Amino acid sequence: MVASLALILLAQLVGEALARGAGVPVPGPVIGMGLMFLFLLARDTAPGLPRLLPKPLTDGTLEGTARVLLANLSLLFVPAGVGVVGRLDLLRAQGVKLALILLVSTAASLLVTVLVFRAVARLVERRGGDPDA
Amino acid sequence: MGGDFSLWVYLTGTPLLWLTVTLTAYVAADRIAAATNRHPLANPVLISVVFVGSVLAFTGTPYPTYFEGAQFVHFLLGPATVVLAMPLYERRATVVRALVPMLAALAAGAATTLACVIALARLLDLPAPIIVSLAPKSVTSGVAMGIAETLGGDPTLTAILVILTGIIGAILVTPMMEALRIRDMRARGFAAGLAAHGIGTARAFQVSETAGTFAGIAMGLNAFLTAILAPLALHLMS
């Protein structure tokens, strides 16, 4: 558990340092996600590496920690969400207009994204690939 | 009363109280969501926020006091983003196979969101700083606030719009996809993550792990693309 957390935080820390250092518009944790992906790939392909690593990183504990965090992803947005309640006064002046824009644009965003994904997937997968839904 | 009050003063001075309130509210909200069979309207983020918000209003607690306790939960957003790598890694073959549809949907989705937001805001005659604050609202909050600030918007307003967008998207996505009869969980998840960032991703993980994986990818890619497209779109549509 501690080894898993240490590795996760390390990936985030390095990601944060890279993001700030290079000034790219990607959040540090997203770069950390990429680093974690590379770690998993190296762990499972480089011969001999698993023996050098602490056991929790190879016996599924790391994956278990990830599962717990992702299963409760909603919880992590609560503190920021509570902050919104306190600042709803900022919306008072333009509240109705903003609500309308958020609703329409979010619906449009979902609609276009899903339809384009499906259309292109059908096009690509008809030419050889096997569609897996 | 004097004794009770000093106990209250003691408890509100430590992170323990508000951390406990946050976790308890979430556990209750999650139970409610589970009891409704994960009905989209019973969004656990929304219910928890209403619970905690009521407690804060009732006790007259300022947000910074609350956040001293809640920051430990908030902090975990970073590590949770990092561990999106695990489902991504497990499904890497599926993801690589879907690369072309993903990139097409990303470009179309990001452009549509920006165009739609800016066009509507102009139509409704909103002032320019509010339009700038609105533009990055589908992107994860840290990046969205950065975009708004750079372009002359109000980052606090952006943060609020981002959270509201997340909740709206998480509520809309399932009924919309069912109405359209879209069963491809990759497409559904990708749309949720693109339109509604982490809150949409949390919803997608409730529905299916494949959907959650694609939502996480969409969230990361859209943060990158919108950061590039937002200044361009604001310039073109001004």
Side-chain angles (χ1 to χ4, degrees), chain A residues 12 25-27 33 37 40 44 62 72 75 77 79 83 85 87 94 97 101-102 105-106 109-110 112-113 117 125 132, chain B residues 26 49 56 63 78-79 83 85-86 89 94 97 109 112-113 124 126 137 143 160 165 186-187 191 194-195 198 224 227:
Chain A
Q12 187 184 348
V26 177
M33 186 208 307
F37 185 89
L40 295 170
D44 295 348
L62 179 63
N72 296 292
L75 164 68
F77 289 98
V85 179
R87 297 312 303 274
Q94 311 281 2
K97 290 180 183 178
I101 294 173
L102 291 186
S105 68
T106 307
S109 181
L110 285 169
V112 170
T113 308
F117 190 111
E125 279 151 11
D132 54 318
Chain B
Y26 172 73
V49 165
L56 293 188
Y63 183 68
V83 300
M86 276 69 166
Y89 178 71
T94 313
R97 233 175 294 140
T112 306
T113 311
L124 295 173
L126 286 178
K137 55 114 205 163
V143 175
I160 295 170
T165 299
R186 303 171 304 169
L194 186 136
F224 182 70

Side-chain angles (χ1 to χ4, degrees), chain A residues 29-50:
Chain A
V30 170
I31 299 181
M33 186 208 307
L35 295 172
M36 182 59 83
F37 185 89
L38 292 179
F39 166 81
L40 295 170
L41 202 64
R43 181 193 68 184
D44 295 348
T45 50
L49 186 61

Side-chain angles (χ1 to χ4, degrees), chain B residues 131-211:
Chain B
I131 300 182
V132 173
S133 311
L134 259 172
K137 55 114 205 163
S138 274
V139 172
T140 185
S141 56
V143 175
M145 289 169 77
I147 296 173
E149 192 158 30
T150 322
L151 301 177
D154 173 3
T156 314
L157 177 61
T158 299
I160 295 170
L161 296 169
V162 166
I163 298 274
L164 291 176
T165 299
I167 294 175
I168 292 171
I171 290 175
L172 284 182
V173 61
T174 309
M176 263 181 77
M177 299 307 154
E178 291 300 326
L180 293 166
R181 300 198 181 163
I182 290 169
R183 304 230 160 67
D184 186 341
M185 281 301 163
R186 303 171 304 169
R188 288 173 65 148
F190 198 82
L194 186 136
H197 53 91
I199 302 181
T201 304
R203 171 66 192 171
F205 270 111
Q206 285 179 352
V207 176
S208 107
E209 193 140 324
T210 300

Side-chain angles (χ1 to χ4, degrees), chain B residues 71-110:
Chain B
Q71 61 176 320
F72 303 106
V73 171
H74 184 74
F75 172 77
L76 289 174
L77 276 174
T81 308
V82 172
V83 300
L84 284 171
M86 276 69 166
L88 177 61
Y89 178 71
E90 277 165 31
R91 288 174 178 68
R92 58 192 183 281
T94 313
V95 170
V96 169
R97 233 175 294 140
L99 206 59
V100 178
M102 273 190 335
L103 293 178
L106 168 69

